[in-house]
Amino acid sequence: MQRPSTPPAESQGQGASSATSKADAPPPNPLRNVYFGDLHLHTRNSFDAYVFNVRANPDDAYAYAKGNTIRHAMGFNLRLTHGPLDFLAVTDHAEYLGVVQAIDTPGTGYSRVPYARDLFSSERAAILAAFNRFAESLSSGKRLPELADMSATQSAWQETIRSAERNNDPGKFTTFVGYEFTSMPEMRNLHRNVIYAGRHVPAMPYSALDSQSPEDLWHWMEQQRTKGMEAISIPHNGNGSDGSMFERTMWDGQPIDRAYAELRSRNEPLVEITQSKGQSETMPLLSPNDEFAGFELMTSYIGATKPITKFDGGYVRDALKRGLGVERQVGVNPYKMGFVAGSDSHNAAGPYEEDHYFSKVGVLDGAPDRRGAVPPAQYKSWDEFYAAGRILPVTSTWGSAGLTGIWSEQNTRDSLFAALKRKETFGTSGPRIRARLFAGYGLENVNLATHAGVRSAYENAVPMGGELAIKPGQKPEFVVIAMRDIHSAPLQRVQMIKGWVDASGESFEKVFDVVCSDGAKVEGATQRCPDNGAAVDLSTCEFSQDKGAGQLQGVWSDPEFDPRQHAFYYARVLENPTCRWSTWDAIRANVAPNPKLPLTIQERAYTSPIWFVPINAH
């Protein structure tokens, strides 16, 4: 395995404006506030975004996140209608960072590459051909020799740093310096976002053209850490990895050992559970008894129509179970990951709102007929479209962007990053659902809707992301609360997802409904809430206003608890059904919705897990 060389000297964003002093931030709240943001966003500095005709820069990305208007590559305005975000990381691809813009700049050495003119078009076929030139390089892990000059990357990286420093406003809006490590051996997705704690960052990012191995990335991060450059790596889109994101083996094919498990768990405390290119929680073949597992599935390779054939090893719930098994063998869990969510938008703006959807790859899918929601102009109906043998673009399987929720004392880099490290985070499919989970003993009277209840939970329990030790003779209790996004639908139910391994090492999972809306009770035989009757008018996308809840909370104890088993528990919160973005597109175009796409979805939130440590563990 290739080991990374000594990391380059650190950068502190030379030329950047001074960030607001931490002393100017509001005082910290010891009971912690919730903050929403995105740790995964691309601008024109990413090779593919520029090929997709995107020209918005990092400053534009921060402007959009703060609630301002920017322009889409197709010329229309983009603005958040549900309020600004609290934090953002611009995470452009480290590979060929800034290079395509340099090729498009007359007079540069880059502009003289023989295929320069072939990279810039508004036509779909030409765009995909340009994208594939770089994708093939990433698939092989070999840099295009004519693009060996790193000056454009160095310049774009400095732009990333300076923009983050200019836009960081402690207490009001937080920026993180970051980038994407875009490893994709043989097109299998092993992508990670690297997020830095502060302004002390390396002079250059470590990319998948230095090494495709995530292990080498982690070793490089460890070297940086000794120099005061703290960072975490967040894997995403395991759903596109063909089972290779969460394997039981290391890069060299050997079984995971303790050193690997420690290295990975130190550097990857979080995983992106959902984003525009589908959710990576689970899917029906892996969780056949979970009737909500079919939500927003992407089952092809990223950037291709090649189908995924191996799902185990590619989804988070399965990885959490694998982690328990590995921990039994080597004493450390490599997959002890909390949850975040993001957009992965390449428009410098995330499409977080289902009813204001603009997808993610510039001119390729910026209009409804380019993303499979409206038939192309030459077809009068979907029947005519399918009769002609046409197939939908892969972008039709994508969904609205996810958001990360962080429970933190204040909106500053130090406070938010500390929360990321301790995994007091949750991910949503877009709405700003607020979710909170604690576990402990004797919590039956804890009310998380009150300051006293939250204080008691912190004093007597562990929050999501934590580890709960056994108390002989007692069963753990879980206290959960979820609050709706006022711009989205009421809440339908809260579920608890449990995974465990038995004495033989075999893993299992089970879904329990724990809180029902509308005064309903969980039915004992099924462990499910009854249907609350919420509906959607598919002619207008109006949803039931008299069904569901603005807030759901409860205390739950596992009826099948076994103190001898390693286990994890996380909460999943479901809204009432609402229109999917593709249905909104069809209604606005006055056409029938695409019959091969879901008409409605149930937006959701996922809390980070809490792990139970059994008797005689470790």
Side-chain angles (χ1 to χ4, degrees):
M1 179 177 69
Q2 178 184 345
R3 282 284 190 263
S5 58
T6 301
E10 67 178 280
S11 169
Q12 295 189 26
Q14 292 85 353
S17 302
S18 296
T20 305
S21 168
K22 186 166 63 175
D24 296 334
N29 173 12
L31 300 183
R32 297 173 183 161
N33 308 308
V34 66
Y35 300 103
F36 286 98
D38 189 354
L39 298 172
H40 190 178
L41 188 75
H42 297 266
T43 74
R44 70 180 184 187
N45 287 339
S46 287
F47 73 89
D48 45 357
Y50 202 94
V51 165
F52 301 150
N53 287 223
V54 173
R55 299 296 181 264
N57 62 29
D59 281 341
D60 294 319
Y62 291 124
Y64 175 81
K66 292 177 180 181
N68 297 311
T69 300
I70 68 171
R71 300 285 281 179
H72 188 274
M74 294 186 69
F76 54 86
N77 287 339
L78 298 176
R79 182 169 181 158
L80 289 167
T81 63
H82 297 173
L85 302 183
D86 298 308
F87 62 88
L88 180 70
V90 170
T91 55
D92 284 309
H93 297 291
E95 302 75 18
Y96 302 111
L97 180 69
V99 167
V100 180
Q101 182 184 2
I103 294 173
D104 197 29
T105 304
T108 65
Y110 296 94
S111 68
R112 292 190 286 272
V113 297
Y115 49 81
R117 287 187 299 176
D118 299 334
L119 298 180
F120 311 110
S121 172
S122 58
E123 298 299 320
R124 181 179 180 82
I127 290 172
L128 293 176
F131 170 82
N132 287 335
R133 181 183 297 275
F134 293 96
E136 289 168 6
S137 167
L138 295 184
S139 181
S140 69
K142 296 178 180 178
R143 190 184 303 275
L144 294 168
E146 65 274 20
L147 298 179
D149 179 2
M150 298 297 290
S151 60
T153 293
Q154 187 172 35
S155 176
W157 179 235
Q158 286 301 312
E159 180 189 4
T160 299
I161 299 166
R162 289 193 296 267
S163 180
E165 293 306 307
R166 271 195 301 272
N167 287 281
N168 192 49
D169 189 1
K172 297 180 180 178
F173 182 81
T174 296
T175 67
F176 290 103
V177 179
Y179 72 89
E180 181 168 337
F181 172 83
T182 322
S183 177
M184 46 190 299
E186 299 177 338
M187 297 300 290
R188 290 176 290 118
N189 184 85
L190 296 179
H191 301 188
R192 276 118 168 118
N193 291 316
V194 178
I195 307 296
Y196 286 91
R199 66 184 307 191
H200 299 290
V201 302
M204 290 282 278
Y206 188 82
S207 86
L209 297 177
D210 296 309
S211 170
Q212 290 183 308
S213 168
E215 294 169 40
D216 288 345
L217 170 68
W218 304 329
H219 281 294
W220 181 77
M221 291 169 62
E222 300 261 288
Q223 293 174 2
Q224 291 183 83
R225 204 167 283 124
T226 66
K227 298 177 179 292
M229 290 179 276
E230 178 61 51
I232 57 174
S233 166
I234 306 175
H236 66 86
N237 282 119
N239 59 352
S241 71
D242 215 11
S244 60
M245 182 66 84
F246 308 111
E247 292 191 294
R248 291 189 170 92
T249 57
M250 301 182 288
W251 188 258
D252 62 7
Q254 295 299 307
I256 289 175
D257 59 20
R258 186 182 182 95
Y260 173 97
E262 290 175 339
L263 177 69
R264 184 161 187 162
S265 63
R266 273 196 308 272
N267 290 284
E268 294 197 344
L270 300 167
V271 62
E272 188 180 277
I273 196 167
T274 190
Q275 61 135 278
S276 289
K277 295 197 301 294
Q279 54 85 11
S280 293
E281 182 207 9
T282 193
M283 51 94 66
L285 290 177
L286 296 177
S287 301
N289 296 319
D290 181 353
E291 61 269 42
F292 300 103
F295 176 71
E296 296 292 52
L297 295 175
M298 185 192 75
T299 56
S300 64
Y301 277 58
I302 291 174
T305 57
K306 181 180 179 181
I308 296 294
T309 59
K310 189 172 185 291
F311 299 104
D312 54 317
Y315 284 80
V316 172
R317 192 187 300 175
D318 179 64
L320 295 174
K321 293 191 295 182
R322 288 184 176 207
L324 296 178
V326 173
E327 185 176 21
R328 282 175 52 88
Q329 297 168 346
V330 305
V332 177
N333 185 343
Y335 300 132
K336 203 167 193 175
M337 303 172 294
F339 300 160
V340 297
S343 68
D344 196 9
S345 174
H346 286 55
N347 293 313
Y352 314 107
E353 301 162 0
E354 210 78 35
D355 55 346
H356 292 87
Y357 186 77
F358 48 87
S359 201
K360 69 179 289 288
V361 288
V363 300
L364 280 183
D365 61 1
D369 62 342
R370 300 185 183 191
R371 52 184 181 250
V374 172
Q378 63 269 38
Y379 300 101
K380 296 179 181 178
S381 68
W382 287 113
D383 288 342
E384 190 176 308
F385 175 88
Y386 290 116
R390 297 291 303 274
I391 59 173
L392 292 174
V394 68
T395 50
S396 66
T397 68
W398 296 353
S400 59
L403 283 172
T404 292
I406 301 178
W407 289 99
S408 175
E409 291 83 356
Q410 57 186 165
N411 189 5
T412 63
R413 283 178 175 171
D414 287 349
S415 188
L416 294 178
F417 195 83
L420 293 172
K421 291 268 287 185
R422 69 174 178 265
K423 309 167 197 164
E424 198 172 352
T425 60
F426 59 97
T428 87
S429 57
R432 301 182 200 191
I433 302 166
R434 290 170 287 167
R436 213 163 194 179
L437 176 69
F438 290 84
Y441 302 93
L443 304 181
E444 59 273 5
N445 295 319
V446 170
N447 180 355
L448 293 180
T450 68
H451 291 306
V454 173
R455 185 176 296 108
S456 177
Y458 276 119
E459 291 172 352
N460 300 293
V462 297
M464 53 188 170
E467 185 176 274
L468 182 67
I470 182 71
K471 251 190 187 178
Q474 296 192 51
K475 286 177 63 174
E477 291 176 320
F478 297 83
V479 57
V480 62
I481 190 169
M483 292 154 277
R484 73 173 283 194
D485 179 346
I486 61 171
H487 298 289
S488 195
L491 305 179
Q492 185 187 79
R493 69 187 71 200
V494 177
Q495 301 179 302
M496 195 68 71
I497 316 298
K498 176 187 178 183
W500 73 97
V501 292
D502 66 11
S504 70
E506 186 176 359
S507 65
F508 302 87
E509 65 178 65
K510 190 165 184 177
V511 180
F512 300 87
D513 284 9
V514 298
V515 190
C516 310
S517 66
D518 303 288
K521 302 296 183 184
V522 175
E523 297 173 345
T526 63
Q527 293 293 320
R528 291 291 184 273
C529 299
D531 184 354
N532 71 346
V536 182
D537 183 340
L538 294 176
S539 66
T540 64
C541 282
E542 291 290 325
F543 53 78
S544 299
Q545 298 288 346
D546 60 342
K547 305 292 183 181
Q551 178 175 292
L552 293 174
Q553 66 171 318
V555 179
W556 177 79
S557 186
D558 180 1
E560 301 173 4
F561 174 71
D562 186 335
R564 299 167 297 178
Q565 293 174 345
H566 288 256
F568 63 82
Y569 299 85
Y570 66 89
R572 184 173 66 186
V573 182
L574 299 180
E575 286 186 354
N576 283 341
T578 51
C579 277
R580 188 175 187 261
W581 63 263
S582 46
T583 306
W584 276 107
D585 275 354
I587 288 173
R588 288 177 177 137
N590 198 31
V591 300
N594 190 325
K596 295 193 176 182
L597 297 178
L599 296 174
T600 63
I601 57 173
Q602 284 186 264
E603 305 274 19
R604 56 200 63 196
Y606 316 83
T607 72
S608 289
I610 293 174
W611 288 264
F612 174 74
V613 182
I615 298 170
N616 299 323
H618 311 318

